[in-house]
């Protein structure tokens, strides 16, 4: 706890705006009405022009001398820099620190010191963690013993000259804020900078409504919405969890002030840059005011990164590709797979200019493990079911029987047989009986003669990469 406590104490000394309670801290006082702040953004002796700075309401750009000045909303708690391409992400043991807490007294100067990268970031990689969601010490230990070493191994296999960062899209813990320290330990061990989005299990549920439910998260990880840049990609993190103030009730909603801020923020983004929008609750299915968000994004090429559902699904809506990720914790640390059969794991993304490639990385398994195949004998024939969890409509999924090509399999919605075996029923899984199998659309089936000896499934993703799985029929 010492590193986190030390950081919070420094925040307290600088701002006077934190109140420590036990091992946690709360942001309690925003800037007074009518405040104007100013500062300089620089890297060593170089003053950085054209850098975006914001308090979450106003969005301004530094002048040719690296200086900015802006009015601050009385609701603002932070001022943050949208780190420009070509510069390292400020961090503390990997946790992004691209912001400062606004002083509620007389301080008006907020300066940012950045460090130039030693390599070109036009090509870079990033990973998406969804829902580490530890509730117990045992959960946290599994995260540290399984998920973190898997990322370490992945990173060792990457080109060391290409920058890499991570983003966790919410539910860092499961209402147990003391376990943030274990997550932070995991981030430090992975050795890359990580940004965090707020999840519904990262909220204070005993203080009141949405205006105070983010206090502990903010004291630990800073603002709940912000942006940053790398190469020709503009990253945005939003808070789409609205706490309704009683009985742990929440909904998926992006507040109006965030939408207004986002519109201002994107106005500074070149049209040929890719936008990566990260949040917890999937927009396509659960965000009530998604119709207000999509028009703001329409002039950009956008990919949305979400979590929350504990299954993996790719959806294209309003011309926007949303990656709803399988989770680090799977089915809440009860087994090796999520409720749809997707293995516990995370998304891996490779950027080249404004082009994006991706795959799903299953924890503890090779990167080419991209499907599960089931052979199910039935009356007079055999059903072949393939679960291709990172499928999207550009994939091809084809069948070979005893070496003979039989064409494409039929795309269906289904449950994963292993997920049904592990999680179906009130008594399963042991200890957390509310985990259930999830029906999703990344399944493929065919019926073949019972006399068949072997099936081979070949799944080809949108980038032309082929994945194969063989099964003996009888």
């Amino acid at each position: 706890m010492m590193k986190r406590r030390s950081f919070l104490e420094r925040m307290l000394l600088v701002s006077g705006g934190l109140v420590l309670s036990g091992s946690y801290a709360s942001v309690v006082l925003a800037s007074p009405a009518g405040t104007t702040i100013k500062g300089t953004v620089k890297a060593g002796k170089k003053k950085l022009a054209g850098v975006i700075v914001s308090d979450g309401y106003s969005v301004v750009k530094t002048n040719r001398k690296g200086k900015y000045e802006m009015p601050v909303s009385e609701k603002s708690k932070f001022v943050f820099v949208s780190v420009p391409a070509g510069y390292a992400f400020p961090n503390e043991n990997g946790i992004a620190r691209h912001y400062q807490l606004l002083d509620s007294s007389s301080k008006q100067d907020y300066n940012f010191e950045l460090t130039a990268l030693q390599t070109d970031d036009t090509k870079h990689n990033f990973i998406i963690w969804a829902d580490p969601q530890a509730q117990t010490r045992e959960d946290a230990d599994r995260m540290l013993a399984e998920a973190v070493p898997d990322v370490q191994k992945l990173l060792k296999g990457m080109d060391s000259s290409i920058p890499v960062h991570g983003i966790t899209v919410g539910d860092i813990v499961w209402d147990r804020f003391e376990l943030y320290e274990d997550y932070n330990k995991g981030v430090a061990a992975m050795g890359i900078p990580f940004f965090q989005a707020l999840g519904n299990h990262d909220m204070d549920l005993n203080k009141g409504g949405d205006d105070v439910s983010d206090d502990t998260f903010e004291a630990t990880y800073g603002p709940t919405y912000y942006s940053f840049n790398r190469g020709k990609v503009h990253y945005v993190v939003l808070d789409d969890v609205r706490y309704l103030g009683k009985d742990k009730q929440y909904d998926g909603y992006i507040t109006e002030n965030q939408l207004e801020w986002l519109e201002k923020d994107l106005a500074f983004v070149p049209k040929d840059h890719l936008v990566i929008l990260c949040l917890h609750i999937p927009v396509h299915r659960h965000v009530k005011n998604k119709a207000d968000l999509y028009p703001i994004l329409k002039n950009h090429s956008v990919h949305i990164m979400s979590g929350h559902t504990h299954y993996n699904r790719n959806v294209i809506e309003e011309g926007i590709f949303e990656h709803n990720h399988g989770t680090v914790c799977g089915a809440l640390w009860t087994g090796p797979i999520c409720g749809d059969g997707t293995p516990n794991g995370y998304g891996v993304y490779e950027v080249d200019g404004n082009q994006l490639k991706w795959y799903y990385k299953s924890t503890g398994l090779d990167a080419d493990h991209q499907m599960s195949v089931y052979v199910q004998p039935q009356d007079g024939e055999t059903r072949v079911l393939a679960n291709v969890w990172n499928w999207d409509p550009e994939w091809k999924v084809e069948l070979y029987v005893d070496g003979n090509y039989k064409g494409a399999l039929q795309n269906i919605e289904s449950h994963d047989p292993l997920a049904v075996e592990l999680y179906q029923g009130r008594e399963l899984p042991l200890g957390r009986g509310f985990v259930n199998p999830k029906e999703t659309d990344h399944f493929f089936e065919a019926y073949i003669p019972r006399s068949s000896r072997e099936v081979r499934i070949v799944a080809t993703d949108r980038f032309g990469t082929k994945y194969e799985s063989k099964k003996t029929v009888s």
Side-chain angles (χ1 to χ4, degrees), residues 202-433:
D202 297 315
M203 299 188 300
D204 297 286
L205 303 179
N206 58 354
K207 291 185 176 182
D210 194 54
D211 58 332
V212 293
S213 62
D214 304 343
D215 282 357
T216 300
F217 178 94
E218 289 176 330
T220 309
Y221 300 113
T224 61
Y225 62 97
Y226 52 89
S227 66
F228 58 94
N229 303 273
R230 179 149 277 181
K232 296 187 72 174
V233 182
H234 183 69
Y235 293 85
V236 176
V237 174
L238 292 181
D239 168 11
D240 68 345
V241 184
R242 181 174 62 173
Y243 184 47
L244 302 179
K246 61 178 180 179
D247 302 326
K248 298 186 179 181
Q249 296 298 308
Y250 64 91
D251 62 5
Y253 189 87
I254 302 172
T255 56
E256 286 73 13
N257 62 283
Q258 287 188 79
L259 294 173
E260 291 173 2
W261 168 83
L262 179 62
E263 196 162 15
K264 296 174 185 176
D265 177 76
L266 292 179
F268 291 102
V269 179
K271 294 297 187 291
D272 65 338
H273 283 208
L274 181 66
V275 173
I276 302 293
L277 176 60
C278 303
L279 34 67
H280 181 60
I281 296 176
V283 173
H284 72 272
R285 184 169 182 180
H286 295 299
V287 171
K288 290 182 176 179
N289 62 334
K290 64 180 181 178
D292 297 325
L293 172 66
Y294 286 142
I296 297 174
L297 304 174
K298 67 180 180 180
N299 293 324
H300 299 271
S301 177
V302 180
H303 285 253
I304 295 177
M305 310 288 165
S306 59
H308 185 61
T309 59
H310 295 256
Y311 58 67
N312 200 76
R313 187 166 183 243
N314 293 311
V315 176
I316 299 173
E317 184 170 285
E318 299 290 329
I320 293 172
F321 199 122
E322 179 162 1
H323 308 257
N324 187 200
H325 292 80
T327 55
V328 173
C329 72
L332 298 169
W333 296 112
T334 60
I337 58 174
C338 302
D340 66 333
T342 301
N344 302 6
Y346 51 95
V348 181
Y349 294 83
E350 301 170 352
V351 177
D352 185 356
N354 61 6
Q355 300 301 304
L356 188 67
K357 294 179 65 176
W358 60 86
Y359 63 92
Y360 186 87
K361 177 63 178 70
S362 301
T363 301
L365 298 168
D366 291 339
D368 62 359
H369 181 67
Q370 295 293 326
M371 73 180 100
S372 296
V373 176
Y374 301 91
V375 175
Q376 302 172 314
Q378 298 185 357
D379 293 339
E381 57 187 350
T382 297
R383 183 192 189 212
V384 178
L385 180 69
N387 182 354
V388 187
W389 43 78
N390 211 27
W391 171 84
D392 67 59
E394 294 297 317
W395 284 58
K396 292 190 301 183
V397 183
E398 299 169 297
L399 172 67
Y400 293 79
V401 179
D402 297 334
N404 299 310
Y405 179 66
K406 296 299 182 180
L409 284 82
Q410 181 182 2
N411 179 217
I412 64 169
E413 293 187 359
S414 181
H415 290 92
D416 182 86
L418 179 58
V420 171
E421 177 184 338
L422 294 175
Y423 306 138
Q424 182 70 55
R426 292 185 177 182
E427 303 303 319
L428 294 174
L430 293 177
R432 290 174 182 167

Side-chain angles (χ1 to χ4, degrees), residues 84-88 115-119 121 229-231:
Y87 290 85
T115 301
L117 291 171
Q118 298 304 304
T119 184
D121 60 358
N229 303 273
R230 179 149 277 181

Side-chain angles (χ1 to χ4, degrees), residues 5-295:
R5 184 180 295 278
S6 175
F7 172 72
L8 294 176
E9 288 172 349
R10 291 201 303 276
M11 293 273 280
L12 175 63
L13 291 171
V14 169
S15 69
L18 295 179
V19 173
L20 294 177
S21 175
S23 60
Y24 312 125
S26 298
V27 180
V28 297
L29 188 61
S31 58
T35 299
T36 297
I37 64 170
K38 59 183 179 177
T40 302
V41 182
K42 61 180 183 177
K45 296 181 179 181
K46 182 180 179 181
K47 307 296 177 63
L48 301 181
V51 177
I52 303 303
V53 183
S54 177
D55 69 335
Y57 293 83
S58 297
V59 181
V60 299
K61 182 188 293 187
T62 57
N63 65 17
R64 60 185 180 84
K65 295 183 178 181
K67 296 183 180 298
Y68 73 91
E69 184 173 342
M70 68 179 174
V72 175
S73 169
E74 61 182 357
K75 298 179 181 179
S76 298
K77 299 176 182 178
F78 301 94
V79 56
F80 56 86
V81 60
S82 187
V83 180
Y87 290 85
F89 300 132
N91 69 87
E92 181 181 37
N93 295 321
I95 300 297
R97 303 295 187 203
H98 54 290
Y99 59 89
Q100 296 181 46
L101 188 67
L102 285 166
D103 193 339
S104 59
S105 57
S106 58
K107 180 179 177 181
Q108 291 184 320
D109 289 352
Y110 294 85
N111 301 317
F112 291 92
E113 178 72 37
L114 301 179
T115 301
L117 291 171
Q118 298 304 304
T119 184
D120 181 21
D121 60 358
T122 303
K123 286 187 177 182
H124 65 271
N125 300 331
F126 65 95
I127 67 173
I128 296 288
W129 266 27
D131 304 68
Q133 203 163 341
Q135 187 186 41
T136 67
R137 174 59 53 197
E138 291 75 19
D139 295 344
D141 288 344
R142 280 193 62 186
M143 177 189 70
L144 293 171
E146 298 171 19
V148 169
D150 193 86
V151 174
Q152 291 172 325
K153 182 178 178 180
L154 173 81
L155 296 174
K156 286 181 180 179
M158 290 183 175
D159 185 340
S160 60
S161 68
I162 297 178
V164 188
H165 65 280
I167 306 164
T168 296
V169 290
D171 282 1
I172 300 169
V173 296
W174 189 359
D175 303 331
R176 292 280 301 276
F177 298 137
E178 66 270 23
L179 297 178
Y180 277 151
E181 187 65 22
D182 294 87
Y183 168 81
N184 293 353
K185 184 187 300 183
V187 168
M190 287 185 280
I192 60 174
F194 255 81
F195 294 85
Q196 285 63 228
L198 176 84
N200 54 289
H201 286 291
D202 297 315
M203 299 188 300
D204 297 286
L205 303 179
N206 58 354
K207 291 185 176 182
D210 194 54
D211 58 332
V212 293
S213 62
D214 304 343
D215 282 357
T216 300
F217 178 94
E218 289 176 330
T220 309
Y221 300 113
T224 61
Y225 62 97
Y226 52 89
S227 66
F228 58 94
N229 303 273
R230 179 149 277 181
K232 296 187 72 174
V233 182
H234 183 69
Y235 293 85
V236 176
V237 174
L238 292 181
D239 168 11
D240 68 345
V241 184
R242 181 174 62 173
Y243 184 47
L244 302 179
K246 61 178 180 179
D247 302 326
K248 298 186 179 181
Q249 296 298 308
Y250 64 91
D251 62 5
Y253 189 87
I254 302 172
T255 56
E256 286 73 13
N257 62 283
Q258 287 188 79
L259 294 173
E260 291 173 2
W261 168 83
L262 179 62
E263 196 162 15
K264 296 174 185 176
D265 177 76
L266 292 179
F268 291 102
V269 179
K271 294 297 187 291
D272 65 338
H273 283 208
L274 181 66
V275 173
I276 302 293
L277 176 60
C278 303
L279 34 67
H280 181 60
I281 296 176
V283 173
H284 72 272
R285 184 169 182 180
H286 295 299
V287 171
K288 290 182 176 179
N289 62 334
K290 64 180 181 178
D292 297 325
L293 172 66
Y294 286 142

